């Protein structure tokens, strides 16, 4: 059962949202001590069970992503493991693909190419090349080379709707959940039902 903290304790929900977004921003800006302190504060104050608190339960994934981008592999692994119990209960392909991509990035940074390929292959099986869109290009280059896929070209179709969906991904990974949802809902409203089932699945899954 999902705890709708935004309904049961809106003040705490808003506070935790702000703290988690600040943690993501600190990682992306290289303020490592601040990032760790904010993350610890967020995690300590999350209600139990931590993996069942509406949208806040997926924030560790974005903290993990930004820690990985900053080069702090152990921190990235810690936060990615924290989000997995939540993800296991959702069965949402884009979320599972993001987690696998982070696992792959962690393994690649540690030189474990077999584990990296396995994780990237899982991400690809869930979302195709879109799983790698706007991520570190080394991830796709490594996976494409090892799997025999072409490495050239764009990760997306270039359509305005795909670009809008990708913008939502960028906002989400920056911890700006509400803005990401607004972008996705706006994109869905413009999408003709059945015209692009993969894109529609991506948007609804996100």
């Amino acid at each position: 059962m999902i705890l709708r903290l935004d309904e049961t304790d809106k003040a705490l929900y808003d506070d935790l949202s702000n703290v988690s977004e600040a943690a993501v921003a600190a990682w992306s800006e290289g303020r490592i001590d601040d990032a760790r302190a904010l993350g610890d504060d967020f995690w300590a104050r999350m209600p139990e069970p931590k993996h069942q608190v509406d949208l806040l339960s997926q924030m560790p994934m974005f903290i993990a992503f930004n820690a990985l981008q900053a080069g702090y592999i152990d921190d990235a692994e810690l936060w990615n493991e924290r989000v997995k119990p939540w993800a296991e209960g959702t069965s949402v392909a884009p979320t599972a693909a993001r987690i696998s991509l982070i696992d792959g990035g962690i393994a690649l940074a540690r030189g474990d190419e077999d584990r990296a390929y396995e994780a990237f292959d899982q991400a690809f099986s869930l979302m195709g090349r879109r799983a790698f869109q706007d991520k570190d290009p080394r991830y796709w280059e490594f996976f494409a080379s090892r799997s025999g896929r072409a490495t050239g070209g764009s990760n997306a179709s270039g359509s305005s709707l795909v670009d809008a969906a990708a913008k939502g991904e960028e906002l989400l990974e920056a911890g700006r959940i509400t803005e990401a949802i607004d972008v996705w809902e706006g994109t869905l409203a413009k999408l003709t039902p059945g015209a692009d089932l993969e894109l529609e699945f991506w948007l609804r899954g996100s």
Side-chain angles (χ1 to χ4, degrees), residues 50-91:
K50 296 181 188 294
H51 64 283
Q52 293 184 4
V53 188
D54 48 52
L55 293 172
L56 291 177
S57 290
Q58 60 181 308
M59 285 307 299
M61 179 169 57
F62 309 118
I63 295 175
F65 176 79
N66 282 274
L68 177 61
Q69 294 300 102
Y72 289 83
I73 309 308
D74 290 344
D75 293 274
E77 183 175 46
L78 170 68
W79 285 100
N80 209 39
E81 290 301 315
R82 283 174 170 172
V83 80
K84 288 179 180 179
W86 174 81
E88 289 168 0
T90 65
S91 300

Side-chain angles (χ1 to χ4, degrees), residues 38-132:
L38 287 162
D40 288 345
D41 182 40
F42 164 74
W43 193 246
R45 294 167 57 203
M46 272 278 283
E48 296 288 352
K50 296 181 188 294
H51 64 283
Q52 293 184 4
V53 188
D54 48 52
L55 293 172
L56 291 177
S57 290
Q58 60 181 308
M59 285 307 299
M61 179 169 57
F62 309 118
I63 295 175
F65 176 79
N66 282 274
L68 177 61
Q69 294 300 102
Y72 289 83
I73 309 308
D74 290 344
D75 293 274
E77 183 175 46
L78 170 68
W79 285 100
N80 209 39
E81 290 301 315
R82 283 174 170 172
V83 80
K84 288 179 180 179
W86 174 81
E88 289 168 0
T90 65
S91 300
V92 176
T95 298
R98 290 187 197 104
I99 291 171
S100 292
L101 204 69
I102 294 169
D103 275 340
I106 291 168
L108 197 62
R110 288 176 170 161
D112 187 347
E113 293 190 353
D114 289 341
R115 173 67 186 119
Y117 178 79
E118 178 184 338
F120 289 151
D121 188 51
Q122 177 67 15
F124 186 84
S125 72
L126 290 165
M127 289 294 295
R129 192 164 178 179
R130 281 176 176 162
F132 297 80

Side-chain angles (χ1 to χ4, degrees), residues 191-205:
L191 184 64
T192 302
D196 187 336
L197 293 177
E198 185 180 357
L199 177 58
E200 187 173 349
F201 177 73
W202 176 18
L203 289 166
R204 295 189 185 282

Side-chain angles (χ1 to χ4, degrees), residues 13 16 28 35 53 68-69 71 76 99 114 118 131 134 138 159 173 175 177 194 203:
Y13 175 85
L16 288 176
S28 66
V53 188
L68 177 61
Q69 294 300 102
I99 291 171
D114 289 341
E118 178 184 338
D134 299 322
R138 292 175 298 176
S159 75
E173 285 168 356
I177 298 176
L203 289 166

Side-chain angles (χ1 to χ4, degrees), residues 148-172:
R149 292 179 170 83
T151 58
S154 170
N155 287 353
S157 68
S159 75
S160 60
L161 292 179
V162 169
D163 290 344
K167 177 61 178 177
E169 294 281 323
E170 292 175 12
L171 289 168
L172 196 64

